[in-house]
Structures are given as structure tokens and as C-alpha cells.
Amino acid sequence: MGLTKSSSLFFSITIIIFVGLLYELATKEFAVTLGKTINWLSIFIGIVGVLFGIYIWFYDRANARKATLYFPLFLACRGIIEIIKDHEKLGDVRSRHLFASCASTLDEIVYKHGSIIHLKRVDDLSTFLSLKKAIDENLEFIKERNWAALKDRFKSNEFEEVVSHANTLLSRCKEEVKEINKLPE
């Protein structure tokens, strides 16, 4: 996981601020105490504090990415696959509600959280957008049509492609977040 442009910019600005504060501390300490030595323990504690802060910032970003992209995407893809493969078992009402919920989750990933930008590979982004487009195009159909028409739609070639996209994204989620592998299917 390499540094992105924004994180390297943050790191550079943090170092510049830190060096400026260190320089100010050293000159102030020298000017005030004239002849006394600099308190190196305080400087060391300050450096450790700044490094710990930077580490926490990166750790929080990684957790935010998991919480706003990979876990919701995993749940949405798993739900979509379940609907398409087991719609008979789920029944009419449950299939419609689960489909709407999955569509809403995909919308939140794009519009509310904006975490779609964390999809690293271009083909993953393309797969996500194809999945979202297919779900959005079928959402009204799923909400309004009768159960017999829905069963036929779930068995169509279009939804086989949707399952393929969902499986691809499930695999990516499992690669990026090892905890997902421990979840039961």
C-alpha cells in the first residue's frame, strides 16, 4: 500500500510544521536560557508524539476505508447474489426489500461516503459502475412488476452478468480486508 498524493502531501506538511516547531523551540530555549542545554527529552517526546499522530491518522484512514467501502460493498454484493440465486426461497416481498437495500447501499458508497475513490484498480471501478448501472436500471422493474416477471428477470442473462460483477467485487473485498474471509458465506 503506497502513499497517495494527499497522504504524502499531509506527511510533507506535517514534517515542515514539525521542523518549524522544533526550530522555534530550540531558538527559544537557547535565547531564554543562554548557556543551558536544550531539554532533549522534551524534544524526543515531541517527535514520538508527532510520529504517533501520523500513524494514528493513517490507521484511521484504513479503518474508514473498510467501514465505508469494503464492508458495505461486501454486504451489497452478497445480498445481490443471494437474491438472484435464491429468489424462490426468499419470496416476493423479501427479494424486493433486499434488492432495494442493496441498491441503497451502493448509492451510499458512491454518493454519501464517496468511498468509491478507494477502488484501486481501474477494472474494479469499471466492474462496480457496471454493477451499479444494472441494479439502478432494474430497481423500478423490481419494485413495480409482478412476481412471475421478477422470476423471469432474475433468470435472464443480464442478471448472470450482475452475479459475475458481484462475485468479482466480493473477491476484491476479501483481498483487501482479511476479516471478511472469516465471515460465513
Side-chain angles (χ1 to χ4, degrees):
M1 178 163 46
L3 291 175
T4 62
K5 220 176 205 181
S6 64
S7 61
S8 63
L9 178 65
F10 170 79
F11 187 73
S12 300
I13 291 171
T14 304
I15 289 189
I16 290 170
I17 291 171
F18 174 72
V19 168
L21 291 174
L22 184 62
Y23 179 74
E24 181 185 348
L25 176 68
T27 56
K28 187 185 257 185
E29 183 77 20
F30 180 75
V32 170
T33 58
L34 286 179
K36 289 187 177 179
T37 61
I38 296 174
N39 187 351
W40 290 105
L41 180 61
S42 296
I43 292 174
F44 177 73
I45 291 171
I47 291 171
V48 169
V50 167
L51 293 176
F52 185 68
I54 292 170
Y55 171 76
I56 293 296
W57 184 78
F58 281 110
Y59 181 77
D60 284 345
R61 284 182 47 106
N63 283 340
R65 189 175 312 126
K66 288 178 188 178
T68 60
L69 175 62
Y70 293 115
F71 284 115
L73 183 58
F74 174 80
L75 293 173
C77 290
R78 194 168 81 174
I80 290 167
I81 293 169
E82 181 182 5
I83 294 165
I84 295 170
K85 291 191 175 196
D86 295 332
H87 57 275
E88 294 283 343
K89 186 172 79 173
L90 291 172
D92 181 18
V93 175
R94 179 70 183 135
S95 294
R96 291 175 196 267
H97 285 290
L98 188 55
F99 195 88
S101 175
C102 292
S104 174
T105 300
L106 294 176
D107 285 343
E108 286 180 7
I109 289 171
V110 175
Y111 302 117
K112 186 176 178 184
H113 303 300
S115 55
I116 189 174
I117 62 170
H118 297 297
L119 288 172
K120 295 177 185 171
R121 299 180 185 165
V122 174
D123 55 333
D124 291 340
L125 181 59
S126 174
T127 302
F128 179 88
L129 293 174
S130 297
L131 175 69
K132 178 148 179 28
K133 180 181 177 192
I135 297 300
D136 289 346
E137 288 173 352
N138 286 291
L139 186 59
E140 289 303 314
F141 182 89
I142 302 258
K143 286 180 179 178
E144 297 173 359
R145 294 295 176 105
N146 64 24
W147 182 235
L150 286 179
K151 286 192 236 182
D152 290 339
R153 181 63 69 107
F154 286 140
K155 294 175 184 173
S156 70
N157 289 338
E158 179 183 3
F159 274 98
E160 286 179 16
E161 188 175 322
V162 167
V163 169
S164 172
H165 291 321
N167 279 324
T168 301
L169 292 171
L170 274 178
S171 297
R172 178 67 58 228
C173 291
K174 288 178 179 182
E175 285 177 17
E176 295 294 329
V177 182
K178 302 303 179 203
E179 293 90 1
I180 290 177
N181 288 326
K182 298 173 187 173
L183 294 175
E185 285 294 322

